Amino acid sequence: MNLKLKIWRQKNAKDKGRMEDYTVENISPDTSFLEMLDILNNNLIHEGKEPIAFDHDCREGICGMCSLYINGRAHGPEDEITTCQLHMRRFKDGDTIYIEPWRSRAFPVIKDLVVDRSSYDKILQAGGFISVNTGGVPDGNAIPIPKPDADESMDAASCIGCGACVATCKNGSAMLFVSARVSSLAKLPQGRVEAVRRAKSMVAKMDELGFGNCTNTTACEQECPKGISISHIARLNREFLSAKLRD
């Protein structure tokens, strides 16, 4: 496969940035999207040019690092996958592919296709954890938890924090991310101890960091690589309102 690439290049956060044209040739359809970028960078290095900076780590759809907007869609044209799970057979020979970083005020560009997602870490530090002493590790069946609750908690916990929900949302909202973190703990008895503080502090930190408001367009759910439901946002709203009423 021979492909034309239009890739966003930006030296740093202060640089204006621009799209640059590249070509890659003889790409196997079985090559992953990130491997294709590796091939491009290898060619650029051999030509004495600066390679393109992009985030990656596990390349197994777990770490959430491969945050790319491909042809105007987060993680590319497939549903419920990350960029590293996208393969070039999804494109056609001679295609032009547009590659950009996440576009969100809360995720400023560091360089080229790399964005700063430390705002997610700050939200988690505000309350996305259990700090009370719950004792040692109990036996598997020591704390009875209804299977539907356990399943829902695990579904919410599958969030990898990639930021696709924020980048896709027209408001730049982090509600799906925050609600998944809150919901994964709210459905477990260990998480109920700090439920009131958690909802208030995480929502407050989200607002402080400049994320937008949720208007229920469901774009976040459509582009989430783990298929996390916006029903968790409803639970976050209930948790938050309950905490405010207690105040």
Side-chain angles (χ1 to χ4, degrees):
M1 298 175 65
N2 299 327
L3 302 162
K4 298 177 182 178
L5 307 176
K6 291 184 177 292
I7 303 178
W8 184 260
R9 300 303 303 266
Q10 186 171 338
K11 292 182 179 179
N12 51 52
K14 296 181 179 180
D15 184 36
K16 186 176 181 180
R18 73 278 177 200
M19 299 294 287
E20 291 191 0
D21 296 337
Y22 300 92
T23 58
V24 287
E25 299 177 346
N26 301 318
I27 300 297
S28 168
D30 295 326
T31 301
S32 76
F33 199 88
L34 295 190
E35 287 172 337
M36 182 274 293
L37 290 179
D38 288 336
I39 293 170
L40 172 61
N41 275 344
N42 185 62
N43 294 339
L44 292 176
I45 291 171
H46 279 86
E47 294 170 5
K49 299 177 182 178
E50 185 176 4
I52 298 160
F54 63 95
D55 259 336
H56 61 93
D57 191 4
C58 74
R59 301 202 177 196
E60 295 179 350
I62 300 172
C63 70
M65 295 290 288
C66 52
S67 49
L68 296 180
Y69 233 82
I70 303 168
N71 286 348
R73 187 172 177 185
H75 294 304
E78 294 283 0
D79 294 332
E80 296 189 9
I81 64 167
T82 54
T83 304
C84 61
Q85 296 173 309
L86 177 67
H87 288 80
M88 300 312 297
R89 54 179 169 267
R90 186 60 179 79
F91 303 93
K92 298 178 181 179
D93 184 38
D95 274 358
T96 298
I97 304 174
Y98 290 79
I99 309 172
E100 301 173 81
W102 286 163
R103 301 294 189 182
S104 175
R105 180 177 60 178
F107 294 156
V109 174
I110 297 175
K111 183 177 181 180
D112 294 342
L113 304 175
V114 181
V115 299
D116 181 1
R117 287 175 294 175
S118 60
S119 52
Y120 265 11
D121 297 327
K122 294 174 182 176
I123 291 175
L124 290 178
Q125 290 166 4
F129 53 86
I130 295 174
S131 62
V132 297
N133 182 8
T134 57
V137 179
D139 293 334
N141 297 318
I143 303 177
I145 301 174
K147 189 176 188 303
D149 290 347
D151 289 345
E152 195 167 357
S153 175
M154 290 301 295
D155 288 343
S158 67
C159 172
I160 58 177
C162 66
C165 53
V166 174
T168 301
C169 177
K170 66 178 183 179
N171 306 316
S173 173
M175 283 290 280
L176 189 64
F177 168 76
V178 175
S179 66
R181 298 303 186 184
V182 167
S183 195
S184 67
L185 298 175
K187 299 298 291 185
L188 301 177
Q190 296 93 331
R192 296 309 307 168
V193 181
E194 300 173 288
V196 172
R197 182 191 62 81
R198 179 180 301 113
K200 290 191 300 182
S201 55
M202 292 184 73
V203 169
K205 180 59 69 173
M206 176 183 67
D207 293 339
E208 176 190 325
L209 294 170
F211 289 98
N213 295 318
C214 175
T215 51
N216 294 314
T217 63
T218 75
C220 54
E221 179 182 299
Q222 295 298 317
E223 297 299 348
C224 176
K226 299 302 177 181
I228 295 174
S229 171
I230 61 168
S231 63
H232 295 296
I233 296 178
R235 176 170 295 104
L236 171 61
N237 289 333
R238 291 195 298 271
E239 293 282 324
F240 181 77
L241 291 174
S242 176
K244 286 296 184 180
L245 288 173
R246 293 189 185 188
D247 289 344

